[in-house]
């Protein structure tokens, strides 16, 4: 038997504390190769044959097993949210929330609850690009001491539709044309906008999807929302309504649309990579759990129905109480076993958390359980290691595909006397789940509540809450999407039936851009009881913050060529790294780049390998020979020009400004100082100003001004 380091068990769920490096080995070390039955295999290169040139024998159990396993490696991808990335971590409340709920994991500040979180895009297939314009899934599985609680949310607080009955229609319309399977992972096509134009309840969500929220910079830099209104039940049995929020500690940030499209080609794995690499580098992704708690009686108090998932509860009306922290600090060991096989079910709740009658939520309660049967091949998916609760499971469920548990005893029914009536139901005092006894009194009816009727007030509120820059982005996104719609009546209907009731100016701008005109007669007056109200803007909805943030985990490119000033570059690099940024040197060739002052450095990327869209900011080294060489390199000129165009912080030290000039970036700014363009001669000052520029994420004031154009573009 070869000696080997201890390997992790293949079937136990890793505990939150586990940091054993063996877990992260690339390949198991020192193991004999065996069949699935544990029989050691003597060769895995040749099949068993009747003579070296003879036919392969059916009795070759190793060949048959190897090929059979390979044939079945793929499982159906998720119908929606097929593309994702995930991480393990923990959740801990800051203080007991027993005033709201009896859920153990929310009432014990000492409890560190293990979690598994999967982020995703919605529309694309499993192999699609990460940075497409789309909603992002934010699904959290809490392995609590009382069983699993799944909070299966999105990065937007509202949804397209009000009733789950419409979900298959919505998803069929979003997905590619069924004849051509085009376009992949994009809403910019006829069937999506056809559905939208005929379904006014989508108006609010459409504003979100056209906003910068749909192109997040990172999974680590986006908010999450439970979307529906849920219930919290306190220890005395009193219920309150609740909206769940996740607030990223790194702030909420987005890409620029052009940049997002470029990344989709240059690095389709951008968000996956970002999450994985940050965690590997020891920078956990952190979010705070926020609650908006509302009395049951106030369900209609805010001028809309809290059961309507196309509405949000403005933070200015009910502040978000930050109650605990989610820390994602461990990457999955195996993508398939964990990220792919994880089964989130909206119906997974623990005592102290309950549902409401939101008709979208109610349909989800059926869908998530049902879909796992196809995806995971039968009813035993909860036994897969990633889905298994840490709370013990005892019941009389048995058999079915892929059964793992070997049950003892013969009393597989209830009541029984052969097993002393175990497992037996638990009373609420013993931790048994008790559904909230909501009084229900009504007729069976297939109808939408009138209280769900106002589709445009919140869409307008969202638009009114945007800064000018965000509004411009949203308008441009609409021009892009509607411009790609081929059928003119669909374009026209989006403008008249959806955009105009939200905002006439918006409708007019989009109409002009897509070659239509506004047809006032086509806009229906709102029905009685469905009047559009004017709501005060909610500044919390804007993600552009004037105050800046942290530079932690930001990716900074430092451009160098032979003859660069090594010492000053090293000083700036050290300052950036001290602030938590991740710095990479880029040159025309990989390897050592000779400096002018003996402080040579290693280029870890070339312009060909790493385009500017992979970075948050750019620094150009001092040293005339280096700057001249870069200024004579098309790719370097393009790199800087693009970074500037995407409103990123760009700094040039000393002679480095030569490259700015080559990229046609004006370094003499007069009084219109751009805090994101730093042209300095002193390394100390450049570092401080550069870091302040990076912390502001993007320098939007550049947009609308004459944009420097990289010379390679026509
Ligand atoms: Fe989902 N959704 N959904 N959804 N959803 C799925 O479940 C569904 C909705 C969300 O990382 C599926 O296991 C219906 C709202 C996330 O594994 C499926 C309706 C929100 C994920 C399904 C909705 C979501 C899913 C596909 C309308 C935000 C990915 C595979 C009634 C609150 C979870 C699966 C992961 C996945 C159905 C609407 C979020 C088919 C029927 C609203 C984050 O069951």
């Amino acid at each position: 038997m070869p000696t080997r380091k201890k390997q992790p068990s293949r079937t136990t769920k890793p505990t939150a504390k586990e940091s054993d490096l063996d877990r992260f080995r690339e390949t198991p070390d020192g193991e004999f190769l065996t069949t699935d039955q544990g029989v050691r295999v003597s060769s895995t290169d040749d099949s068993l044959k009747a003579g070296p040139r003879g036919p392969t024998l059916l009795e070759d159990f190793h060949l048959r097993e190897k090929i059979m396993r390979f044939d079945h490696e793929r499982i159906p991808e998720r119908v929606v949210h097929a593309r994702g990335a995930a991480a393990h971590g923990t959740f801990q409340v800051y203080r007991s929330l027993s005033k709201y709920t009896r859920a153990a994991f929310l009432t014990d500040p000492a409890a560190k609850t293990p979690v598994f979180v999967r982020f995703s895009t919605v529309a694309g297939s499993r192999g699609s690009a990460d940075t497409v314009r789309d909603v992002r899934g934010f699904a959290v599985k809490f392995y609590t001491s009382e069983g699993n609680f799944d909070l299966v949310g999105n990065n937007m607080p509202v949804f397209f539709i009000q009733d789950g009955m419409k979900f298959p229609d919505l998803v069929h319309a979003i997905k590619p044309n069924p004849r051509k399977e085009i376009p992949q992972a994009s809403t910019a096509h006829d069937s999506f906008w056809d559905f939208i134009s005929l379904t006014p309840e989508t108006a609010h969500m459409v504003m979100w999807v056209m906003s910068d929220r749909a192109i997040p910079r990172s999974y680590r830099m986006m908010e999450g929302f439970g979307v529906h209104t849920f219930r919290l039940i306190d220890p005395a049995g009193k219920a309150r309504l609740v909206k769940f929020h996740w607030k990223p500690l790194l702030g909420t940030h987005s890409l620029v649309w052009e940049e997002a499209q470029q990344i989709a080609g240059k690095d389709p794995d951008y968000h996956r990579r970002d999450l994985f690499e940050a965690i590997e580098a020891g920078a956990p992704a952190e979010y705070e759990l926020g609650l908006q708690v509302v009395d049951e009686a106030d369900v209609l108090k805010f001028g809309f129905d809290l059961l309507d998932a196309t509405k949000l509860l403005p933070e200015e009306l009910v502040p978000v109480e930050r109650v605990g922290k989610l820390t994602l600090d461990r990457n999955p060991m195996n993508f398939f076993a964990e990220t792919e096989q994880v089964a989130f079910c909206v119906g997974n709740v623990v005592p102290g958390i309950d549902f409401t009658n939101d008709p979208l939520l109610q349909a989800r309660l059926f869908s998530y359980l049902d879909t796992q049967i196809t995806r995971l091949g039968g009813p035993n998916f909860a036994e897969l290691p990633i889905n298994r609760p840490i709370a013990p499971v005892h019941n009389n469920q048995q058999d079915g595909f892929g059964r793992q548990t070997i049950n003892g005893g013969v009393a597989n029914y209830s009541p029984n006397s052969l097993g002393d009536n175990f497992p037996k139901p638990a009373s609420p005092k013993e931790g048994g789940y008790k559904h909230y006894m909501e009084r229900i009194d009504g007729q069976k009816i297939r109808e939408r509540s009138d209280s769900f009727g106002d589709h445009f007030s919140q869409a307008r509120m969202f638009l009114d809450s945007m800064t000018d820059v965000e509004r411009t982005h949203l308008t441009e996104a609409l021009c892009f999407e509607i411009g790609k719609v081929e059928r003119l009546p669909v374009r026209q209907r989006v403008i008249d039936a959806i955009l105009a009731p939200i905002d006439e100016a918006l409708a007019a701008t989009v109409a002009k851009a897509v070659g239509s005109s506004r047809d006032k007669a086509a806009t229906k007056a709102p029905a009685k009881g469905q009047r559009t109200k004017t709501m005060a803007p909610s500044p919390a909805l804007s993600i552009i913050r004037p105050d800046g943030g942290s530079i932690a985990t930001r990716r900074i490119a430092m451009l160098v060529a032979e003859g660069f000033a090594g010492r000053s570059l090293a000083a700036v690099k050290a300052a950036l790294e001290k602030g938590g940024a991740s710095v990479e040197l880029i040159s025309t060739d990989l390897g050592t780049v000779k400096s002018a002052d003996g402080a040579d450095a290693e280029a870890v990327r070339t312009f060909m390998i790493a385009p500017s869209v992979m970075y948050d900011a750019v620094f150009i080294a001092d040293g005339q020979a280096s700057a001249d060489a870069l200024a004579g390199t098309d790719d370097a000129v393009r790199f800087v020009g693009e970074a500037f165009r995407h409103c990123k912080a760009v700094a040039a030290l000393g002679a480095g400004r030569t490259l700015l000039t080559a990229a046609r970036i004006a370094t003499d700014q007069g009084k219109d100082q751009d805090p994101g363009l730093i042209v300095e001669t002193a390394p100390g000052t450049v570092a401080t100003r550069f870091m302040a520029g990076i912390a502001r994420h993007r320098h939007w004031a550049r947009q609308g001004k004459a944009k420097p154009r990289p010379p390679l573009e026509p």
Side-chain angles (χ1 to χ4, degrees):
M1 175 94 179
T3 51
R4 60 180 283 262
K5 299 225 167 132
K6 191 175 162 287
Q7 287 293 313
S9 147
R10 283 179 212 158
T11 51
T12 48
K13 178 146 33 67
T15 65
K17 278 192 188 147
E18 226 154 345
S19 63
D20 178 357
L21 281 179
D22 275 355
R23 305 190 65 85
F24 300 100
R25 276 183 189 288
E26 294 285 314
T27 48
D29 183 30
E31 284 276 24
F32 280 128
L33 181 72
T34 73
T35 66
D36 280 351
Q37 306 302 320
V39 176
R40 290 182 189 169
V41 169
S42 57
S43 159
T44 194
D45 298 333
D46 296 296
S47 56
L48 188 68
K49 293 181 281 294
R53 300 185 59 252
T56 300
L57 300 179
L58 192 58
E59 74 177 64
D60 185 349
F61 57 82
H62 176 46
L63 173 77
R64 277 188 286 116
E65 182 189 80
K66 193 172 171 183
I67 300 285
M68 177 276 285
R69 293 298 307 258
F70 169 75
D71 289 347
H72 299 278
E73 274 180 4
R74 298 290 171 272
I75 62 172
E77 65 175 34
R78 287 165 174 82
V79 188
V80 282
H81 296 265
R83 169 121 188 129
H88 290 273
T90 51
F91 173 78
Q92 196 168 13
V93 276
Y94 295 141
R95 54 194 172 275
S96 170
L97 298 176
S98 58
K99 62 178 176 175
Y100 296 139
T101 178
R102 53 138 302 180
F105 82 107
L106 293 175
T107 51
D108 179 4
K112 273 196 172 185
T113 303
V115 296
F116 187 67
V117 177
R118 182 173 179 273
F119 302 105
S120 49
T121 54
V122 177
S125 303
R126 234 187 101 177
S128 57
D130 279 346
T131 58
V132 297
R133 176 175 295 284
D134 199 355
V135 190
R136 298 299 184 287
F138 193 133
V140 184
K141 190 179 279 293
F142 299 82
Y143 305 91
T144 91
S145 59
E146 297 176 302
N148 287 355
F149 166 50
D150 292 357
L151 184 55
V152 196
N154 278 345
N155 75 329
M156 298 179 190
V158 291
F159 201 65
F160 290 100
I161 47 168
Q162 296 173 319
D163 192 309
M165 186 67 115
K166 295 303 301 161
F167 193 66
D169 297 305
L170 166 76
V171 174
H172 291 175
I174 284 188
K175 289 273 180 174
N177 174 312
R179 187 168 170 212
K180 303 181 275 189
E181 235 203 15
I182 298 174
Q184 177 59 236
S186 167
T187 47
H189 59 92
D190 285 37
S191 58
F192 176 72
W193 287 103
D194 187 34
F195 178 82
I196 297 298
S197 70
L198 296 166
T199 316
E201 72 203 64
T202 60
H204 187 191
M205 182 65 166
V206 161
M207 292 293 102
W208 280 83
V209 178
M210 294 301 112
S211 80
D212 290 345
R213 299 270 186 158
I215 40 171
R217 155 65 181 82
S218 159
Y219 288 140
R220 303 175 296 119
M221 299 172 198
M222 64 182 200
E223 287 185 297
F225 303 90
V227 177
H228 312 282
T229 302
F230 288 84
R231 277 198 170 88
L232 291 179
I233 316 294
D234 74 13
K238 182 175 156 62
R240 291 176 184 81
L241 301 175
V242 66
K243 291 260 185 205
F244 292 109
H245 296 247
W246 292 111
K247 301 279 188 187
L249 293 194
L250 288 174
T252 307
H253 301 290
S254 289
L255 299 167
V256 174
W257 177 225
E258 180 183 83
E259 181 192 14
Q261 293 174 86
Q262 283 174 241
I263 296 174
K266 299 279 186 185
D267 184 11
D269 305 309
Y270 185 76
H271 283 147
R272 282 189 173 179
R273 191 188 307 287
D274 169 273
L275 181 67
F276 191 93
E277 287 182 355
I279 291 175
E280 286 301 288
E286 297 170 309
Y287 312 79
E288 283 185 308
L289 178 68
L291 304 181
Q292 284 177 299
V293 181
V294 172
D295 276 345
E296 282 273 317
D298 293 343
V299 64
L300 293 169
K301 177 180 131 181
F302 301 97
F304 57 89
D305 197 332
L306 279 169
L307 299 188
D308 172 1
T310 65
K311 307 293 185 295
L312 60 85
L313 182 53
E315 292 188 23
E316 291 76 8
L317 295 182
V318 176
V320 175
E321 198 182 330
R322 298 190 182 217
V323 297
K325 193 162 130 192
L326 170 69
T327 308
L328 301 180
D329 55 4
R330 189 159 56 82
N331 281 312
M333 286 170 63
N334 182 282
F335 187 92
F336 182 84
E338 302 178 85
T339 311
E340 197 54 20
Q341 290 201 124
V342 66
F344 291 96
C345 292
V346 179
N348 289 353
V349 286
V350 291
I353 300 176
D354 209 330
F355 314 111
T356 59
N357 297 332
D358 171 345
L360 193 69
L361 173 59
Q362 293 287 321
R364 293 180 76 200
L365 295 177
F366 168 71
S367 177
Y368 290 69
L369 198 56
D370 180 53
T371 200
Q372 312 308 344
I373 295 172
T374 308
R375 262 185 41 75
L376 299 172
N380 289 313
F381 56 85
E383 292 185 311
L384 293 170
I386 194 64
N387 296 325
R388 219 181 280 160
I390 56 169
V393 174
H394 304 289
N395 58 42
N396 297 324
Q397 314 290 14
Q398 65 174 29
D399 305 353
F401 282 112
R403 182 62 171 173
Q404 318 251 325
T405 309
I406 301 177
N407 296 90
V410 292
N412 54 354
Y413 51 88
S414 176
N416 70 69
S417 70
L418 303 189
D420 288 337
N421 204 27
F422 283 103
K424 62 172 189 180
S427 70
K429 276 209 172 123
E430 293 165 316
Y433 188 93
K434 185 172 176 230
H435 291 268
Y436 175 62
M437 289 206 286
E438 183 182 4
R439 189 177 174 84
I440 304 289
D441 192 7
Q443 290 171 319
K444 280 187 203 165
I445 198 160
R446 209 183 267 289
E447 219 175 66
R448 198 74 57 93
S449 166
D450 282 348
S451 57
F452 283 31
D454 169 7
H455 304 315
F456 298 109
S457 305
Q458 288 217 350
R460 185 180 304 156
M461 173 191 73
F462 180 75
L463 193 66
D464 290 347
S465 307
M466 299 291 97
T467 57
D468 287 351
V469 168
E470 288 165 300
R471 195 182 159 108
T472 306
H473 291 171
L474 192 156
T475 310
E476 286 173 354
L478 278 166
C479 296
F480 174 94
E481 296 256 329
I482 316 292
K484 287 211 163 197
V485 170
E486 283 164 15
R487 292 170 180 80
L488 297 185
V490 174
R491 286 192 196 171
Q492 190 66 47
R493 201 163 47 233
V494 175
I495 292 162
D496 296 324
I498 304 296
L499 301 184
I502 300 173
D503 188 275
E504 279 291 353
L506 177 70
T509 312
V510 176
K512 182 170 177 301
V514 302
S516 303
S517 53
R518 172 81 178 91
D519 176 2
K520 291 209 166 142
T523 303
K524 282 195 203 135
K528 196 166 163 267
Q530 302 185 349
R531 296 269 169 241
T532 306
K533 301 169 197 77
T534 303
M535 294 186 67
S538 165
L541 299 181
S542 162
I543 59 172
I544 295 189
R545 301 264 176 271
D547 42 348
S550 148
I551 71 161
T553 76
R554 291 307 185 130
R555 303 194 71 220
I556 319 298
M558 296 188 115
L559 311 192
V560 292
E562 246 185 61
F564 74 101
R567 291 210 189 97
S568 56
L569 178 122
V572 176
K573 183 166 182 276
L576 292 170
E577 283 172 344
K578 201 166 163 219
S582 151
V583 183
E584 285 182 350
L585 259 64
I586 303 186
S587 193
T588 42
D589 300 304
L590 293 177
T592 307
V593 186
K594 287 227 164 306
S595 67
D597 53 9
D600 300 351
E602 290 291 305
V604 293
R605 311 260 180 226
T606 62
F607 296 109
M608 186 193 282
I609 298 168
S612 81
V613 290
M614 298 290 110
Y615 298 92
D616 291 293
V618 189
F619 175 85
I620 308 160
D622 194 3
Q624 198 59 56
S626 163
D628 287 345
L630 291 173
T633 305
D634 278 346
D635 286 348
V637 175
R638 185 193 186 105
F639 193 103
V640 175
E642 239 168 30
F644 188 81
R645 178 180 163 86
H646 296 150
C647 304
K648 296 172 181 176
V650 175
L653 184 58
R657 74 189 302 160
T658 309
L659 181 57
L660 294 179
T661 311
R664 298 189 220 166
I665 298 170
T667 51
D668 179 14
Q669 303 174 68
K671 22 182 207 2
D672 278 344
Q673 270 285 338
D674 175 345
L677 180 62
I678 298 110
V679 187
E680 278 285 352
T681 45
T685 332
V686 84
T688 317
R689 286 186 56 205
F690 189 37
M691 289 199 286
I694 302 165
R696 285 183 55 176
H697 182 59
R698 294 301 166 88
H699 298 272
W700 302 113
R702 277 178 216 160
Q703 286 189 332
K705 291 192 187 159
K707 291 170 186 161
R709 177 183 273 206
L712 284 187
E713 283 183 2

